[in-house]
Amino acid sequence: MLEPDTHDHPIHAEGALLPWYLNGTLREDERCQVDQHLLSCVACRAELDELAQLSMQLHEVYAAQSEPSTQIQW
């Protein structure tokens, strides 16, 4: 993810909700607020796209991990 440049783009309250928006855990009113904001905010849409890509990459990495050995004793 790119570091936010606060001089060129204002910080939006909705931007803080993007991780929860992406994973579907926002309340209905918050989801609607973010939906409305995303219609007009290119910066937040780009941030959401980056978060989605990162999430997909993390899922791929975890899926590629082998299971722990049964030989390991605790």
Side-chain angles (χ1 to χ4, degrees), residues 22 49-62:
L22 183 63
D49 287 343
E50 287 184 32
L51 287 170
Q53 289 175 14
L54 178 59
S55 178
M56 185 173 52
Q57 291 168 348
L58 286 172
H59 284 291
E60 290 171 358
V61 167
Y62 285 123

Side-chain angles (χ1 to χ4, degrees), residues 23-38:
N23 70 19
T25 57
L26 288 179
R27 295 186 323 248
E28 179 69 16
D29 61 317
E30 292 171 320
R31 187 188 58 75
C32 289
Q33 176 184 351
V34 175
D35 281 338
Q36 283 299 122
H37 179 74
L38 289 172

